[in-house]
Structure formats: C-alpha cells, structure tokens
Amino acid sequence: MTEVSTKQNLLDLDREGLERFFAEILGEKRYRAHQVMKWIHHRHVTDFDDMTDLGKPLRAKLHTHAEVIVPNILLDKPSVDGTHKWLLGMDGGNAIEAVFIPDKGRGTLCVSSQVGCGLACTFCSTGTQGFNRNLSTAEIVGQVWVAARHLGNVPHRQRKLTNVVMMGMGEPLLNFDNVVRAMSVMRDDLGFGLANKRVTLSTAGMVPMIDRLAVESDVSLAVSLHAANDELRSELVPLNKKYPIAELMAACQRYVQRKPRASITFEYTLMKGVNDQPEHARQLARLMRQFDNAVQMKDAGKVNLIPFNPFPGTRYERSAEDDIRSFQKLLLDSHVLTMVRRTRGDDIDAACGQLKGQVMDRTRRQAEFKKKLEAQGIPANGAGDAAA
Ligand code: SAH
C-alpha cells in the first residue's frame, strides 16, 4: 500500500486557493503565498529549503503542511523538428502525454486533461482506449511546469512556451473544475503568465459546460466539429447524439455573445472519403455563414482543418493533398477564414489524436464513467466496447 499524504500539494492550488491556504492553515499573509507561487512557477523550485526569502519558521510550517509534487517524467523525447514529447507517469501504471510544438515566434504546449477519454470519437487514438480518471489540477499544471522548466521559461522575458492548448488526452469540459483552476494558474502573472487568448480549451461539444466556461473563465475556445451534418457527426463524435449540431452552435452563439470580440475555432479533421468531399465543405461553409450572421460578426467562426493523423488499428486514412486544398479553397471562396494545421513531430507520434499515453484499469472505471454520463443522458457507447 502506498501511503496517502495528508499534506497539501501546492500545485493543486491557484492564487486564490494558495492565499486561503496561507491564511487559514499557516496563518500567514497573502504576499507569502505570492512569493511561494513565484518560486514554484517562475524559478521551478520545489524544495521549501531553497526558497531563501521565506525565513526558517515559515519553511518549517510549509514542510509540515505542504508539498510540491510535480509529475514523474517517464520519457523525454525530442523530435528532429523541435517538437518535444513528455510521457508522464500517473498512479496505477497510467501515463499521459504532453507535447511542445515550436513554430515561428511561438511555442505551443498541448496538455492532457484526463487519463484516457470516455467520449469514444472513432478517429481518435485516445478515444479508442477508454477512460480511466480525471487529472488533478496539479497533474494538469504539472505538465506546463515540466515543459516550462525544460524550456527555461520565465514570464515577461522572451520565452519559448507562449501558448497552451487543452488538446491532449481527454475531454477538458468533463473535468471542469480542475481544468479551469489549472488554466487560471497558466494565465496568472505569478504562475506561467500566459495571455488569456493564448490558452485554448478544445471540446468535443459539451453544451452545458460551454455555457459555464463562458461565465467562469476567459480563454479561447475551440470546438471539434468534424462534420456539418448530424448523421455523419454522430458517427464520428458519439456525443453529438446528446448535443446535436444545432444545440452546439446555439451554445457557441451564446458564448460569443457573452464575450465581446471573441471568436471560436472549429476543428475539422479531414478523413479520406469520410468528410472531405466538396458537399461536406459546402455544408460547413453554410454552417459558418449562419454562425457569423447569428452573432452579427464577421469571422466569428474560424475553421482549422486537421489532416487525419493515422494510428495503429484505425480504419481511417488521411485525405489526399488535393482534396485538402480543394476543401480549404471552397471555404475560403465562401469567405470562411480557414487554416490547415500541418503535422509536426511525426517521428515521435506527437501529432493531434495520436497521444496514447498508457491507460490501465480502464474497464471498471469506464463502466463507472459510462453510468455517470448516462445519468446525464449522454450516450457513451463505443467507449465501453473498445475498453472491454
Ligand atoms: N476532447 C477534446 C480535446 C482533445 S482532441 C476535443 O475533442 O476537442 C484535440 C483535437 O484533435 C480535436 O479537435 C480532435 O478531434 C483532434 N483529433 C483527434 N484525433 C485525431 C487524429 N487522429 N487526427 C487528427 N486530429 C485528431
């Protein structure tokens, strides 16, 4: 049996939580919490004894009541193109992945929110593995911490890690509180100091949580669409049976209306012969135009085309280059802002949808998760079958 620590992992707390912990548990002033936050996130120091401006009595109190547990790095894998992947060990033999992708003046870290995923999108490697558990705030923040330390990131200086996308393993809106708290540390000046716009949450379309996000956080939103008609989308993203396109677009509309000048990126993974034909592009263009009209803002909806990244055992293939170009052209001709996301880190399997990690003991947890989802009326079919 491993001993369960009764100490507070400080990586689990955002500024507010840390201030409260310092006041209520340690009987210390707020600015002390701020000092510790800077030691951890700006200087990557985790041993209280090395936090030299704290004074001995406070350091002793910290030792008694607190700890800083960062993820355990199982594998640290640089790619020839500058991409970098970390495999991080979790409990019970589980592991998750985080990927850093440098690109002309910016560096994006792709962060995981769950061990596995219960939504079972048919074209996603994580989706075929089933769900194990949510990551804690510390485990989400820890991914950024590991990358920032490796890259020597210090806020307000020229830095390599400039953006975070919650596009690794898992559905971030099904781990709402931990993800929102972690994103608050990412955007805090005492944390990683990233601009609000440079932290992006990507969702498969958890409608009620999109509404909550609009109220409780201030980050960029990306929505994984993949098809502009319900029949096809339900096949690719089973969650669509619970929240079909019209409801999803209505939630996106409410989101943009609540946030002046915000836009939403719609992700569309292109799969050969599945969703990459001119008729699909026309449907998507129509949907995007309707969206812009509904919110009365040009380019409120942008499209990000992702050529499918294959993984072992998948039945899908990447679309042909010509089809990708025609798809983009059709959208551009319809005045829809459309980018194609080019794959990086091919040699280390670091591309979107290829993050596999290591998901153990998923059958029991999967069944529990499925029950929970079904209690909310969300069909989680497919996930359980894949895990069985
Ligand atoms: N659950 C969230 C975030 C994780 S996936 C979501 O669905 O948005 C991050 C992005 O990668 C999503 O747009 C997802 O659809 C896409 N993706 C998943 N598998 C892929 C694959 N094999 N090739 C290309 N993109 C993929």
Side-chain angles (χ1 to χ4, degrees):
M1 280 292 283
T2 43
E3 231 174 277
V4 180
S5 171
T6 52
K7 294 182 182 179
Q8 170 69 52
N9 183 2
L10 300 188
L11 229 47
D12 258 323
L13 303 175
D14 57 8
R15 182 197 292 228
E16 213 187 305
L18 210 57
E19 286 174 354
R20 210 175 312 126
F21 178 77
F22 269 63
E24 290 169 12
I25 307 294
L26 305 179
E28 293 279 346
K29 298 238 162 60
R30 264 164 45 160
Y31 82 95
R32 291 292 184 194
H34 299 177
Q35 278 176 306
V36 169
M37 217 171 153
K38 281 204 255 181
W39 276 112
I40 298 173
H41 298 298
H42 295 185
R43 297 159 106 163
H44 314 119
V45 168
T46 58
D47 186 339
F48 299 128
D49 286 335
D50 295 333
M51 302 183 179
T52 46
D53 56 1
L54 292 188
K56 257 197 171 153
L58 172 54
R59 290 199 315 241
K61 264 197 273 184
L62 280 166
H63 275 299
T64 309
H65 298 287
E67 57 192 354
V68 184
I69 305 288
V70 296
N72 168 25
I73 302 172
L74 298 180
L75 202 74
D76 189 325
K77 216 170 168 186
S79 154
V80 286
D81 63 10
T83 307
H84 200 115
K85 180 160 93 172
W86 290 271
L87 184 70
L88 304 172
M90 302 286 133
D91 52 15
N94 288 303
I96 51 134
E97 292 180 333
V99 177
F100 176 69
I101 308 144
D103 188 23
K104 296 183 215 91
R106 68 164 160 181
T108 303
L109 186 72
C110 182
V111 168
S112 296
S113 57
Q114 298 180 318
V115 180
C117 185
L119 292 184
C121 298
T122 50
F123 56 92
C124 176
S125 173
T126 313
T128 61
Q129 298 189 90
F131 173 79
N132 182 282
R133 69 171 175 87
N134 280 333
L135 293 181
S136 66
T137 301
E139 290 164 335
I140 300 167
V141 169
Q143 298 170 58
V144 188
W145 189 91
V146 163
R149 183 184 59 169
H150 172 86
L151 298 162
N153 245 56
V154 179
H156 308 304
R157 302 227 186 109
Q158 180 115 42
R159 49 189 177 180
K160 292 190 186 148
L161 197 171
T162 56
N163 294 58
V164 168
V165 291
M166 298 298 309
M167 292 186 190
M169 301 168 67
E171 167 52 44
L173 289 187
L174 284 174
N175 184 12
F176 190 90
D177 293 338
N178 292 344
V179 165
V180 164
R181 203 175 301 121
M183 293 191 308
S184 140
V185 177
M186 295 173 203
R187 290 150 47 227
D188 194 322
D189 273 344
L190 298 174
F192 299 98
L194 303 179
N196 288 351
K197 278 199 146 186
R198 289 174 177 267
V199 175
T200 301
L201 183 144
S202 176
T203 178
M206 278 298 303
V207 163
M209 294 298 164
I210 293 175
D211 286 320
R212 246 187 97 185
L213 188 73
V215 177
E216 294 183 34
S217 191
D218 196 5
V219 293
S220 294
L221 181 64
V223 171
S224 295
L225 198 60
H226 312 304
N229 73 73
D230 279 319
E231 195 187 343
L232 182 55
R233 188 166 192 269
S234 293
E235 199 183 304
L236 301 171
V237 183
L239 184 66
N240 191 68
K241 292 175 204 155
K242 169 71 180 165
Y243 302 116
I245 294 170
E247 283 183 37
L248 176 57
M249 297 309 290
C252 291
Q253 191 179 323
R254 291 191 294 275
Y255 188 90
V256 169
Q257 281 163 341
R258 258 193 220 118
K259 302 215 173 270
R261 288 185 303 281
S263 61
I264 293 183
T265 302
F266 291 92
E267 295 158 282
Y268 195 104
T269 299
L270 284 166
M271 289 162 265
K272 188 186 246 166
V274 174
N275 65 351
D276 65 349
Q277 296 304 302
E279 74 201 71
H280 299 122
R282 276 192 287 273
Q283 288 169 3
L284 180 57
R286 207 175 310 130
L287 194 65
M288 290 298 107
R289 269 199 312 267
Q290 281 167 1
F291 183 61
D292 283 5
N293 288 338
V295 297
Q296 295 179 327
M297 185 176 115
K298 198 175 158 320
D299 299 332
K302 298 180 216 160
V303 171
N304 209 332
L305 300 173
I306 317 171
F308 174 69
N309 293 307
F311 53 89
T314 180
R315 64 185 131 123
Y316 299 108
E317 286 172 70
R318 178 176 295 188
S319 300
E321 245 341 282
D322 276 355
D323 287 339
I324 297 174
R325 262 194 300 271
S326 319
F327 200 98
Q328 182 185 25
K329 183 167 184 308
L330 208 148
L331 283 159
L332 289 173
D333 289 348
S334 309
H335 310 289
V336 179
L337 207 58
T338 308
M339 310 268 286
V340 179
R341 194 191 296 163
R342 289 297 162 187
T343 298
R344 303 284 304 276
D346 263 348
D347 57 328
I348 54 169
D349 287 342
C352 239
Q354 287 186 325
L355 302 190
K356 223 173 153 52
Q358 199 170 296
V359 185
M360 314 290 279
D361 182 27
R362 59 203 176 192
T363 33
R364 184 176 54 84
R365 308 266 186 132
Q366 183 74 40
E368 285 165 12
F369 182 73
K370 220 171 144 180
K371 246 194 254 155
K372 231 194 245 171
L373 280 188
E374 275 163 7
Q376 293 176 49
I378 301 168
N381 51 318
D385 310 339

